[in-house]
Amino acid sequence: MTITPGRTRTASRRTRRRGPAVPRHSLPPAVITAEPAYAPAPPPREPAEQAPPARSHRAPARRSYLRAAFVRCALYLGPLSVAAAAAEPLAEVPWPVPLATLLLGWAAAQALTCTGVSVARRSGPAAAARLVGGGFAAVAGLWCALVWIAPDTLVGPYRGLALVVGLGGLGTLATVTAALVTRAEAAIVVWSLPCWLLAASALAEPLIGRTAEVGLLLPAAIVVALVRAFQPVLLPGISGRRPRLSPAELRRGGGYLVIGASQAVLVGLVWQAGPSGSTAPFWLPLLLAVPILEALIGWHTGQVEAGLDSAEDGADYRRHVRSVTLITIAGLLPPFAVGVALALAAYQLPAATSSAVVLGLAGGTLLGGVFAITYLLAARSRTGIAATLAAAPPLVTLVLPLLPLPSSGPLPDAVAVLAATHLAGLLVVALTAQPAPTADDPRRTS
């Protein structure tokens, strides 16, 4: 799941200043014409001659949120398929290598997606892809430096293998980020099919025998998808300086950087706290929750935007947003309820191994819910609150062993912190039902 800010908040800022004041929710914000935004109303017609009411230009977008969520989930299968195909080399490097790759790549992906969408809105996909490419090039250089100076206990005896593993993971995340900011998700899904096939071949290796070709073809498949994602930069005749980011965009990108880094650290904590050699219980509920939560967040943001067309005034719009928020909270409750139920059931099991497996399932379920709440708050321009909520669980989990409090172990502590964060996130979503107006948003209701 990657946070993609809205793309229509400033589309009509210029046209809305040309005419006299009218009700704020009269026209869709994405409509831009060469004529004045508000023209005098025509004389009233007879009932028999009245034309049918015009449909909102955002109606097709509201109906397509499920398709958009499906395409994004298919896009996210690219990094997962690369990880599945590279299971053998991943097993040969110490655990800090994939964890550090996830930390650097996921944090960069969140920050560059946020800023890249703004750049693409102003200067086009080529400039956005150039920004993403430059950011990930810097991260790749940092990874090379870390592999060069890190001791063998962290990167293993084969530094070349650790270098290739990290660069492959960063390249895959760069592909996804470039696809999001240039709106080429569907095309990148098609170009990622070789990675899917290699992952299927690696997973079927116990049945069909050893497939040495997977390790040889995987780097080529990663490079092919990477080149297609950065096609706007590689095309001849497309040039220009990278636009400078405003202070507000830099602050927003910094908040997204904190969100991404905190999420990566939390994934690593739950992963390492789980039972040794058993990662399926941790990843399974998280993977199952991603499509549902993507659709829920897409529905929520679409309904909030739709209220700008249907509401008569600010009070009506606020009532609409509160109703949408109430339904969204109801959709976010099942991960919390299931996670808490699994955590309580884990303490009733006699075997320690079974209890750890069930706790891993509880941690993955609660983690998916916390991610969804964080993404929802960030999509509603509550970036500071989202960053605080995302950073709280890893900080509390790291501080707990230093406090004179009884502890049941790293995994139970992590699950308890996730449950408390999930509950606090639900309360925050309820208390911040009204979207935060931004300085560049002409559709404020206050």
Side-chain angles (χ1 to χ4, degrees):
M1 298 174 72
T2 305
I3 304 172
T4 307
R7 303 187 299 276
T8 60
R9 284 183 173 260
T10 60
S12 60
R13 182 182 178 187
R14 185 174 302 170
T15 60
R16 284 183 175 272
R17 296 179 178 176
R18 297 183 179 178
V22 297
R24 289 170 176 163
H25 304 289
S26 57
L27 288 178
V31 178
I32 305 178
T33 62
E35 300 176 357
Y38 303 115
R45 300 179 179 179
E46 295 296 329
E49 299 178 357
Q50 286 184 353
R55 296 181 61 86
S56 168
H57 288 270
R58 204 184 289 114
R62 293 202 300 266
R63 292 194 299 267
S64 65
Y65 72 91
L66 286 177
R67 178 183 177 275
F70 174 79
V71 173
R72 285 195 299 269
C73 291
L75 180 67
Y76 304 152
L77 287 178
L80 294 178
S81 62
V82 170
E88 184 175 349
L90 286 175
E92 297 179 3
V93 296
W95 64 266
V97 172
L99 185 57
T101 302
L102 177 65
L103 174 60
L104 294 175
W106 190 251
Q110 297 293 342
L112 292 173
T113 299
C114 168
T115 54
V117 167
S118 300
V119 170
R121 187 186 302 125
R122 294 199 312 264
S123 305
R130 193 176 298 112
L131 173 68
V132 172
F136 270 98
V139 174
L142 176 60
W143 174 251
C144 294
L146 291 176
V147 172
W148 180 264
I149 65 176
D152 291 344
T153 55
L154 295 180
V155 298
Y158 307 105
R159 294 181 180 269
L161 180 61
L163 179 66
V164 172
V165 167
L167 292 179
L170 294 176
T172 305
L173 292 174
T175 300
V176 173
T177 306
L180 289 172
V181 301
T182 60
R183 314 313 304 174
E185 297 96 327
I188 300 304
V189 168
V190 176
W191 284 78
S192 299
L193 289 179
C195 297
W196 296 14
L197 296 177
L198 292 176
S201 177
L203 294 176
E205 182 177 345
L207 300 177
I208 63 177
R210 183 175 179 82
T211 55
E213 295 80 5
V214 172
L216 299 176
L217 297 177
L218 184 58
I222 294 174
V223 171
V224 166
L226 183 66
V227 171
R228 174 57 185 85
F230 287 94
Q231 183 183 17
V233 180
L234 303 176
L235 289 176
I238 300 179
S239 60
R241 291 192 308 171
R242 182 185 306 166
R244 299 184 61 181
L245 298 174
S246 65
E249 290 171 340
L250 290 175
R251 288 193 300 269
R252 188 174 175 86
Y256 278 52
L257 183 68
V258 173
I259 291 172
S262 302
Q263 290 177 342
V265 171
L266 190 56
V267 168
L269 289 175
V270 179
W271 173 33
Q272 288 301 306
S276 178
S278 177
T279 57
F282 163 60
W283 289 106
L284 185 59
L286 187 60
L287 295 180
L288 294 177
V290 166
I292 301 174
L293 298 177
E294 279 278 355
L296 178 63
I297 295 175
W299 175 85
H300 176 94
T301 55
Q303 289 298 316
V304 170
E305 291 290 322
L308 294 169
D309 294 333
S310 59
E312 297 294 336
D313 50 26
D316 190 18
Y317 177 64
R318 285 190 288 270
R319 286 193 297 271
H320 171 78
V321 173
R322 284 194 292 268
S323 301
V324 172
T325 302
L326 182 62
I327 299 174
T328 305
I329 293 176
L332 294 173
L333 277 175
F336 175 74
V338 173
V340 172
L342 289 173
L344 295 176
Y347 291 99
Q348 306 300 323
L349 297 175
T353 304
S354 302
S355 176
V357 170
V358 176
L359 273 179
L361 288 170
T365 304
L366 293 170
L367 189 61
V370 172
F371 281 11
I373 293 173
T374 304
Y375 289 135
L376 179 62
L377 291 172
R380 285 166 43 176
S381 299
R382 306 284 184 173
T383 311
I385 300 176
T388 303
L389 190 67
L395 292 178
V396 173
T397 304
L398 294 176
V399 171
L400 277 179
L402 305 178
L403 300 178
L405 298 174
S407 175
S408 302
L411 184 58
D413 290 347
V415 172
V417 170
L418 284 174
T421 305
H422 199 302
L423 181 59
L426 292 175
L427 296 177
V428 169
V429 171
L431 294 175
T432 58
Q434 180 63 28
T438 59
D440 58 351
D441 192 353
R443 299 171 296 171
R444 289 176 290 181
T445 58
S446 58

